[in-house]
Amino acid sequence: MSQRQAIAELHGKIVGCRVCVEAPLGKPLPHEPRPVAVLSATARICVSGQAPGTRVHASGRPFTDPSGDRLRDWMGIGEDVFYDARRLSIVPMGFCFPGLDAKGGDKPPRPECRRTWHDTVFAHMPQVETVLAVGAYAHAYHLGELAHSRLRETVADYQRIWDMTCERRREGQGPAVIPLPHPSWRNNAWLNKNPWFANDVLPLVKKEVARLVA
């Protein structure tokens, strides 16, 4: 079986996944699952975010919301590149919309996804050179001990993380990683208080994205 065929088969299994309803860790998902992910046999860059929100749950397409607009601006690309699975894969830490908490925010990604799928997904995509890890849950998975306890500290440590994961990549031990905050409007205050993110981190993001999607 070719890599492309194996990924297509794996994606089909993910699309039909109901583990958070039929074998949940805790309370089951309160609505019908609709897994959203973009797997690729050729993409050299992967966006790994948190989990679909309400708009993505409705559309079935990742980042079809203002957060997606901001993320694409951070990356320096348009929708034509962002949604081209030949050039970019999208693997959130939770494949389904997890529901809303009491304050109207999204609940954390369902832990069943990481336990069931993520190691297998990335084993099927060894050609991925760089992961844009968006948010603390993606930081924890892709960085392990390199992730700090607070998101700001992880993102602020981006240069050391980048250098160390690039070395890991050169040794064939996994992709390089750039840690990012979530592009949600809820983070506007964080972004305003931390102008170094736009000044220092985003030029690296744009340069790496341009290199890998060319």
Side-chain angles (χ1 to χ4, degrees):
M1 182 183 297
S2 70
Q3 182 191 9
R4 193 180 303 274
Q5 291 171 323
I7 284 178
E9 182 177 299
L10 177 61
H11 185 261
K13 292 178 180 178
I14 290 171
V15 169
C17 179
R18 294 179 55 80
V19 65
C20 55
V21 172
E22 297 175 354
L25 297 174
K27 293 182 179 180
L29 190 72
H31 50 262
E32 187 65 16
R34 190 179 191 183
V36 177
V38 178
L39 277 55
S40 175
T42 56
R44 297 160 62 200
I45 189 163
C46 175
V47 173
S48 182
Q50 183 161 303
T54 53
R55 295 191 185 189
V56 174
H57 181 67
S59 71
R61 196 181 196 200
F63 288 104
T64 50
D65 52 23
S67 294
D69 294 337
R70 174 177 274 172
L71 178 60
R72 286 183 283 274
D73 181 64
W74 285 356
M75 297 170 68
I77 58 175
E79 290 189 359
D80 57 331
V81 175
F82 189 81
Y83 292 114
D84 183 351
R86 297 169 301 174
R87 294 191 278 181
L88 189 128
S89 59
I90 304 172
V91 183
M93 293 310 301
F95 293 144
C96 290
F97 170 53
L100 299 175
D101 61 25
K103 296 182 179 180
D106 291 353
K107 291 182 178 180
R110 298 288 305 200
E112 298 90 344
C113 285
R114 174 174 172 168
R115 183 188 68 172
T116 305
W117 296 114
H118 282 69
D119 289 353
T120 301
V121 166
F122 285 98
H124 276 67
M125 299 195 301
Q127 84 286 345
V128 170
E129 296 183 29
T130 298
V131 172
L132 302 182
V134 182
Y137 292 97
H139 297 171
Y141 178 76
H142 291 284
L143 294 174
E145 293 182 354
L146 291 178
H148 295 268
S149 59
R150 299 181 64 180
L151 180 142
R152 185 193 182 283
E153 295 170 352
T154 302
V155 179
D157 198 23
Y158 79 95
Q159 189 63 61
R160 184 179 72 95
I161 288 170
W162 175 244
D163 292 342
M164 294 184 71
T165 57
C166 280
E167 180 63 26
R168 180 178 73 180
R169 180 173 67 188
R170 284 191 290 269
E171 295 175 353
Q173 297 178 0
V177 180
I178 304 176
L180 303 176
H182 197 280
S184 168
W185 62 269
R186 294 176 182 271
N187 277 340
N188 283 353
W190 188 96
L191 294 168
N192 289 334
K193 290 179 181 178
N194 296 279
W196 53 265
F197 173 74
N199 296 334
D200 300 336
V201 183
L202 291 188
L204 171 62
V205 172
K206 288 182 169 66
K207 181 179 179 180
E208 185 68 356
V209 170
R211 182 181 76 85
L212 294 175
V213 303

